[in-house]
mmCIF file of all heavy atoms in Angstrom:
data_model
loop_
_atom_site.group_PDB
_atom_site.id
_atom_site.type_symbol
_atom_site.label_atom_id
_atom_site.label_comp_id
_atom_site.label_asym_id
_atom_site.label_seq_id
_atom_site.Cartn_x
_atom_site.Cartn_y
_atom_site.Cartn_z
ATOM 1 N N ALA K 184 -30.038 55.869 -166.299
ATOM 2 C CA ALA K 184 -30.202 57.009 -165.429
ATOM 3 C C ALA K 184 -28.965 57.142 -164.532
ATOM 4 O O ALA K 184 -28.434 56.115 -164.069
ATOM 5 C CB ALA K 184 -31.456 56.929 -164.589
ATOM 6 N N TYR K 185 -28.538 58.363 -164.253
ATOM 7 C CA TYR K 185 -27.454 58.631 -163.374
ATOM 8 C C TYR K 185 -27.810 59.821 -162.531
ATOM 9 O O TYR K 185 -27.986 60.923 -163.079
ATOM 10 C CB TYR K 185 -26.145 58.849 -164.134
ATOM 11 C CG TYR K 185 -24.939 58.967 -163.261
ATOM 12 C CD1 TYR K 185 -24.531 57.858 -162.454
ATOM 13 C CD2 TYR K 185 -24.213 60.133 -163.161
ATOM 14 C CE1 TYR K 185 -23.431 57.952 -161.642
ATOM 15 C CE2 TYR K 185 -23.097 60.261 -162.332
ATOM 16 C CZ TYR K 185 -22.719 59.160 -161.566
ATOM 17 O OH TYR K 185 -21.639 59.248 -160.724
ATOM 18 N N SER K 186 -27.942 59.633 -161.218
ATOM 19 C CA SER K 186 -28.526 60.683 -160.352
ATOM 20 C C SER K 186 -27.533 61.496 -159.628
ATOM 21 O O SER K 186 -27.916 62.202 -158.661
ATOM 22 C CB SER K 186 -29.493 60.039 -159.365
ATOM 23 O OG SER K 186 -28.784 59.085 -158.576
ATOM 24 N N ASP K 187 -26.301 61.534 -160.020
ATOM 25 C CA ASP K 187 -25.264 62.415 -159.401
ATOM 26 C C ASP K 187 -24.747 63.440 -160.390
ATOM 27 O O ASP K 187 -24.861 63.260 -161.618
ATOM 28 C CB ASP K 187 -24.078 61.570 -158.871
ATOM 29 C CG ASP K 187 -24.506 60.698 -157.683
ATOM 30 O OD1 ASP K 187 -25.378 61.126 -156.942
ATOM 31 O OD2 ASP K 187 -23.954 59.550 -157.599
ATOM 32 N N TYR K 188 -24.124 64.490 -159.859
ATOM 33 C CA TYR K 188 -23.525 65.492 -160.708
ATOM 34 C C TYR K 188 -22.375 64.864 -161.497
ATOM 35 O O TYR K 188 -21.573 64.109 -160.977
ATOM 36 C CB TYR K 188 -22.986 66.620 -159.844
ATOM 37 C CG TYR K 188 -22.101 67.568 -160.551
ATOM 38 C CD1 TYR K 188 -22.589 68.463 -161.503
ATOM 39 C CD2 TYR K 188 -20.712 67.639 -160.251
ATOM 40 C CE1 TYR K 188 -21.728 69.360 -162.151
ATOM 41 C CE2 TYR K 188 -19.860 68.505 -160.903
ATOM 42 C CZ TYR K 188 -20.371 69.369 -161.855
ATOM 43 O OH TYR K 188 -19.549 70.223 -162.485
ATOM 44 N N VAL K 189 -22.341 65.176 -162.786
ATOM 45 C CA VAL K 189 -21.276 64.682 -163.657
ATOM 46 C C VAL K 189 -20.501 65.901 -164.245
ATOM 47 O O VAL K 189 -21.136 66.726 -164.865
ATOM 48 C CB VAL K 189 -21.828 63.807 -164.807
ATOM 49 C CG1 VAL K 189 -20.683 63.316 -165.685
ATOM 50 C CG2 VAL K 189 -22.640 62.702 -164.300
ATOM 51 N N SER K 190 -19.267 65.976 -163.940
ATOM 52 C CA SER K 190 -18.471 67.087 -164.476
ATOM 53 C C SER K 190 -18.012 66.757 -165.902
ATOM 54 O O SER K 190 -17.427 65.732 -166.164
ATOM 55 C CB SER K 190 -17.239 67.329 -163.561
ATOM 56 O OG SER K 190 -16.399 68.339 -164.104
ATOM 57 N N GLY K 191 -18.318 67.655 -166.786
ATOM 58 C CA GLY K 191 -17.864 67.448 -168.185
ATOM 59 C C GLY K 191 -18.866 66.685 -169.019
ATOM 60 O O GLY K 191 -20.056 66.707 -168.759
ATOM 61 N N THR K 192 -18.381 65.966 -170.000
ATOM 62 C CA THR K 192 -19.241 65.253 -170.969
ATOM 63 C C THR K 192 -19.459 63.794 -170.585
ATOM 64 O O THR K 192 -18.468 63.085 -170.256
ATOM 65 C CB THR K 192 -18.602 65.297 -172.375
ATOM 66 O OG1 THR K 192 -18.457 66.669 -172.763
ATOM 67 C CG2 THR K 192 -19.501 64.606 -173.405
ATOM 68 N N SER K 193 -20.687 63.339 -170.614
ATOM 69 C CA SER K 193 -21.014 61.928 -170.410
ATOM 70 C C SER K 193 -21.240 61.284 -171.754
ATOM 71 O O SER K 193 -21.842 61.841 -172.644
ATOM 72 C CB SER K 193 -22.234 61.766 -169.526
ATOM 73 O OG SER K 193 -22.059 62.323 -168.237
ATOM 74 N N THR K 194 -20.772 60.048 -171.872
ATOM 75 C CA THR K 194 -20.960 59.284 -173.145
ATOM 76 C C THR K 194 -21.887 58.104 -172.918
ATOM 77 O O THR K 194 -21.710 57.350 -171.983
ATOM 78 C CB THR K 194 -19.609 58.772 -173.636
ATOM 79 O OG1 THR K 194 -18.733 59.894 -173.877
ATOM 80 C CG2 THR K 194 -19.774 57.993 -174.934
ATOM 81 N N VAL K 195 -22.907 58.005 -173.778
ATOM 82 C CA VAL K 195 -23.859 56.892 -173.695
ATOM 83 C C VAL K 195 -23.906 56.252 -175.070
ATOM 84 O O VAL K 195 -24.195 56.885 -176.065
ATOM 85 C CB VAL K 195 -25.280 57.415 -173.274
ATOM 86 C CG1 VAL K 195 -26.224 56.224 -173.165
ATOM 87 C CG2 VAL K 195 -25.203 58.218 -171.976
ATOM 88 N N ASP K 196 -23.622 54.927 -175.128
ATOM 89 C CA ASP K 196 -23.583 54.203 -176.378
ATOM 90 C C ASP K 196 -24.727 53.178 -176.435
ATOM 91 O O ASP K 196 -25.086 52.562 -175.451
ATOM 92 C CB ASP K 196 -22.289 53.445 -176.546
ATOM 93 C CG ASP K 196 -21.081 54.416 -176.655
ATOM 94 O OD1 ASP K 196 -21.305 55.599 -176.860
ATOM 95 O OD2 ASP K 196 -19.970 53.928 -176.539
ATOM 96 N N THR K 197 -25.297 53.036 -177.649
ATOM 97 C CA THR K 197 -26.396 52.073 -177.888
ATOM 98 C C THR K 197 -25.976 51.175 -179.040
ATOM 99 O O THR K 197 -25.619 51.632 -180.110
ATOM 100 C CB THR K 197 -27.684 52.768 -178.257
ATOM 101 O OG1 THR K 197 -28.000 53.787 -177.311
ATOM 102 C CG2 THR K 197 -28.842 51.748 -178.306
ATOM 103 N N CYS K 198 -26.071 49.868 -178.816
ATOM 104 C CA CYS K 198 -25.815 48.858 -179.882
ATOM 105 C C CYS K 198 -27.137 48.417 -180.487
ATOM 106 O O CYS K 198 -28.027 47.976 -179.769
ATOM 107 C CB CYS K 198 -25.065 47.692 -179.287
ATOM 108 S SG CYS K 198 -24.718 46.375 -180.514
ATOM 109 N N PHE K 199 -27.252 48.604 -181.793
ATOM 110 C CA PHE K 199 -28.422 48.071 -182.511
ATOM 111 C C PHE K 199 -28.003 46.811 -183.260
ATOM 112 O O PHE K 199 -26.985 46.794 -183.938
ATOM 113 C CB PHE K 199 -28.940 49.132 -183.503
ATOM 114 C CG PHE K 199 -29.447 50.382 -182.843
ATOM 115 C CD1 PHE K 199 -28.633 51.520 -182.792
ATOM 116 C CD2 PHE K 199 -30.744 50.426 -182.252
ATOM 117 C CE1 PHE K 199 -29.088 52.672 -182.132
ATOM 118 C CE2 PHE K 199 -31.168 51.566 -181.619
ATOM 119 C CZ PHE K 199 -30.343 52.680 -181.557
ATOM 120 N N LYS K 200 -28.836 45.781 -183.131
ATOM 121 C CA LYS K 200 -28.455 44.508 -183.749
ATOM 122 C C LYS K 200 -29.680 43.935 -184.485
ATOM 123 O O LYS K 200 -30.826 43.971 -183.978
ATOM 124 C CB LYS K 200 -28.009 43.523 -182.680
ATOM 125 C CG LYS K 200 -27.377 42.248 -183.197
ATOM 126 C CD LYS K 200 -26.720 41.472 -182.050
ATOM 127 C CE LYS K 200 -25.982 40.227 -182.553
ATOM 128 N NZ LYS K 200 -25.293 39.514 -181.472
ATOM 129 N N VAL K 201 -29.459 43.377 -185.658
ATOM 130 C CA VAL K 201 -30.578 42.848 -186.468
ATOM 131 C C VAL K 201 -30.190 41.552 -187.135
ATOM 132 O O VAL K 201 -29.048 41.355 -187.553
ATOM 133 C CB VAL K 201 -31.069 43.881 -187.514
ATOM 134 C CG1 VAL K 201 -29.983 44.163 -188.539
ATOM 135 C CG2 VAL K 201 -32.323 43.421 -188.161
ATOM 136 N N ASP K 202 -31.135 40.642 -187.200
ATOM 137 C CA ASP K 202 -30.988 39.460 -187.988
ATOM 138 C C ASP K 202 -32.373 39.126 -188.609
ATOM 139 O O ASP K 202 -33.412 39.580 -188.057
ATOM 140 C CB ASP K 202 -30.519 38.230 -187.132
ATOM 141 C CG ASP K 202 -29.940 37.099 -187.968
ATOM 142 O OD1 ASP K 202 -29.998 37.165 -189.209
ATOM 143 O OD2 ASP K 202 -29.506 36.091 -187.358
ATOM 144 N N VAL K 203 -32.386 38.405 -189.705
ATOM 145 C CA VAL K 203 -33.662 38.203 -190.428
ATOM 146 C C VAL K 203 -33.833 36.704 -190.777
ATOM 147 O O VAL K 203 -32.868 35.921 -190.803
ATOM 148 C CB VAL K 203 -33.720 39.005 -191.707
ATOM 149 C CG1 VAL K 203 -33.716 40.489 -191.371
ATOM 150 C CG2 VAL K 203 -32.550 38.662 -192.629
ATOM 151 N N LEU K 204 -35.083 36.337 -191.072
ATOM 152 C CA LEU K 204 -35.384 35.030 -191.573
ATOM 153 C C LEU K 204 -35.021 34.923 -193.041
ATOM 154 O O LEU K 204 -34.992 35.925 -193.762
ATOM 155 C CB LEU K 204 -36.874 34.735 -191.378
ATOM 156 C CG LEU K 204 -37.364 34.609 -189.937
ATOM 157 C CD1 LEU K 204 -38.901 34.544 -189.954
ATOM 158 C CD2 LEU K 204 -36.808 33.337 -189.272
ATOM 159 N N PRO K 205 -34.808 33.694 -193.549
ATOM 160 C CA PRO K 205 -34.488 33.564 -194.987
ATOM 161 C C PRO K 205 -35.637 34.070 -195.890
ATOM 162 O O PRO K 205 -35.382 34.429 -197.049
ATOM 163 C CB PRO K 205 -34.321 32.065 -195.156
ATOM 164 C CG PRO K 205 -33.965 31.537 -193.798
ATOM 165 C CD PRO K 205 -34.725 32.411 -192.839
ATOM 166 N N THR K 206 -36.863 34.145 -195.373
ATOM 167 C CA THR K 206 -38.015 34.612 -196.139
ATOM 168 C C THR K 206 -38.215 36.128 -196.123
ATOM 169 O O THR K 206 -39.160 36.592 -196.749
ATOM 170 C CB THR K 206 -39.274 33.901 -195.604
ATOM 171 O OG1 THR K 206 -39.420 34.153 -194.221
ATOM 172 C CG2 THR K 206 -39.196 32.403 -195.844
ATOM 173 N N GLN K 207 -37.371 36.844 -195.416
ATOM 174 C CA GLN K 207 -37.521 38.271 -195.324
ATOM 175 C C GLN K 207 -37.374 38.916 -196.712
ATOM 176 O O GLN K 207 -36.406 38.657 -197.437
ATOM 177 C CB GLN K 207 -36.536 38.904 -194.352
ATOM 178 C CG GLN K 207 -36.684 40.404 -194.143
ATOM 179 C CD GLN K 207 -37.954 40.723 -193.369
ATOM 180 O OE1 GLN K 207 -38.269 40.148 -192.350
ATOM 181 N NE2 GLN K 207 -38.685 41.719 -193.868
ATOM 182 N N GLN K 208 -38.330 39.745 -197.084
ATOM 183 C CA GLN K 208 -38.274 40.483 -198.364
ATOM 184 C C GLN K 208 -36.938 41.261 -198.452
ATOM 185 O O GLN K 208 -36.573 41.969 -197.591
ATOM 186 C CB GLN K 208 -39.441 41.465 -198.434
ATOM 187 C CG GLN K 208 -39.411 42.424 -199.603
ATOM 188 C CD GLN K 208 -39.815 41.800 -200.908
ATOM 189 O OE1 GLN K 208 -40.457 40.743 -200.934
ATOM 190 N NE2 GLN K 208 -39.577 42.480 -202.018
ATOM 191 N N SER K 209 -36.288 41.058 -199.613
ATOM 192 C CA SER K 209 -35.023 41.802 -199.790
ATOM 193 C C SER K 209 -35.337 43.276 -200.079
ATOM 194 O O SER K 209 -36.449 43.620 -200.450
ATOM 195 C CB SER K 209 -34.206 41.201 -200.965
ATOM 196 O OG SER K 209 -34.928 41.389 -202.192
ATOM 197 N N GLY K 210 -34.297 44.101 -199.992
ATOM 198 C CA GLY K 210 -34.462 45.510 -200.284
ATOM 199 C C GLY K 210 -33.936 46.398 -199.153
ATOM 200 O O GLY K 210 -33.324 45.931 -198.177
ATOM 201 N N PHE K 211 -34.229 47.675 -199.297
ATOM 202 C CA PHE K 211 -33.670 48.682 -198.397
ATOM 203 C C PHE K 211 -34.719 49.043 -197.345
ATOM 204 O O PHE K 211 -35.814 49.458 -197.668
ATOM 205 C CB PHE K 211 -33.300 49.918 -199.252
ATOM 206 C CG PHE K 211 -32.369 50.880 -198.524
ATOM 207 C CD1 PHE K 211 -31.106 50.497 -198.151
ATOM 208 C CD2 PHE K 211 -32.820 52.178 -198.280
ATOM 209 C CE1 PHE K 211 -30.273 51.384 -197.514
ATOM 210 C CE2 PHE K 211 -31.971 53.062 -197.677
ATOM 211 C CZ PHE K 211 -30.692 52.682 -197.264
ATOM 212 N N TYR K 212 -34.324 48.932 -196.080
ATOM 213 C CA TYR K 212 -35.195 49.213 -194.948
ATOM 214 C C TYR K 212 -34.626 50.379 -194.172
ATOM 215 O O TYR K 212 -33.389 50.442 -193.937
ATOM 216 C CB TYR K 212 -35.336 48.007 -194.029
ATOM 217 C CG TYR K 212 -36.068 46.821 -194.610
ATOM 218 C CD1 TYR K 212 -35.480 45.984 -195.582
ATOM 219 C CD2 TYR K 212 -37.348 46.545 -194.207
ATOM 220 C CE1 TYR K 212 -36.166 44.927 -196.098
ATOM 221 C CE2 TYR K 212 -38.057 45.436 -194.725
ATOM 222 C CZ TYR K 212 -37.430 44.618 -195.689
ATOM 223 O OH TYR K 212 -38.124 43.534 -196.203
#
Side-chain angles (χ1 to χ4, degrees):
Y185 187 64
S186 58
D187 292 326
Y188 167 71
V189 182
S190 176
T192 301
S193 298
T194 300
V195 182
D196 296 346
T197 309
C198 178
F199 297 99
K200 190 171 185 176
V201 64
D202 198 357
V203 295
L204 293 170
T206 54
Q207 183 69 48
Q208 171 79 14
S209 67
F211 196 62
Y212 292 74

